[in-house]
């Protein structure tokens, strides 16, 4: 500032003192009169690291509770039966659909503040699906799985991609 009669004062308020890092709180008290932008930036970095640590701890606590209440068995609700026109081979099996998996696990997930989301992608090697388990605290963990496009059972290429995405979504959810 070029005018010596003007001074700048940073007013920093936080509505929930329990959500502020003790280090940041102490730093702000010490620097209340005139913190530099560099100091504020460093305190912001400390705050972000502290919040990430708190989110990881909340995630871990909730995950313990979630695992206790997750179903241990999910009924198979789909039957696949087809004969290959090319080879004459008959394929028959039962499995649990993605919808049945989600019906079974969603109540426990939401009870403990969790959600699942998928990010599918395709490439030269087939399909990859990443599944993200996110907690309400903001922490998340992710797992991914890849497979070639399944064009069995006379599926078109697009149907094969969709089928593979569904299959990988179900496996990553489980």
């Amino acid at each position: 500032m070029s005018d010596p009669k003007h001074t700048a004062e940073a007013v920093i308020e936080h509505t929930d003192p329990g959500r502020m890092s003790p280090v940041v709180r102490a730093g702000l008290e010490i620097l209340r009169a005139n913190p530099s932008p560099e100091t504020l930036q460093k305190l912001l970095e400390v705050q972000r690291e502290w919040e990430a640590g708190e989110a990881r701890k909340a995630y871990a606590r909730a995950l313990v509770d979630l695992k206790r209440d997750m179903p241990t068995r999910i009924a198979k609700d789909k039957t696949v039966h087809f004969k290959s026109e090319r080879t004459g081979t008959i394929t028959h099996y039962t499995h649990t659909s993605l919808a049945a998996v989600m019906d079974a696990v969603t109540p426990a997930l939401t009870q403990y503040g969790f959600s699942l989301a998928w990010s599918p992608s395709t490439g030269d090697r087939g399909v990859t699906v990443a599944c993200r388990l996110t907690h309400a605290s903001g922490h998340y963990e992710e797992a991914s799985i890849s497979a070639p496009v399944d064009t069995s059972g006379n599926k078109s290429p697009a149907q094969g991609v969709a089928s593979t995405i569904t299959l990988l979504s179900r496996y990553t959810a489980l």
Side-chain angles (χ1 to χ4, degrees), residues 62-107:
L63 190 60
V64 168
D65 293 334
L66 171 67
K67 286 185 176 186
R68 179 188 63 233
D69 290 344
M70 287 295 274
T72 56
R73 295 184 65 192
I74 301 173
K76 295 179 179 181
D77 64 329
K78 290 290 180 184
T79 300
V80 174
H81 183 87
F82 68 89
K83 181 177 180 180
S84 171
E85 292 178 11
R86 188 172 46 89
T87 64
T89 305
I90 295 176
T91 300
H92 181 84
Y93 60 92
T94 58
H95 70 276
T96 305
S97 68
L98 178 58
V101 168
M102 294 311 299
D103 283 347
V105 302
T106 297

Side-chain angles (χ1 to χ4, degrees), residues 8 15 21 25 28 33 36 79 104 119-121 125 130 135 144-145 147 149 153 173:
T15 57
S21 160
R25 187 179 304 112
L28 289 173
S36 70
T79 300
S119 297
S121 61
R125 295 180 173 215
H135 186 254
S144 62
I145 188 170
V149 174

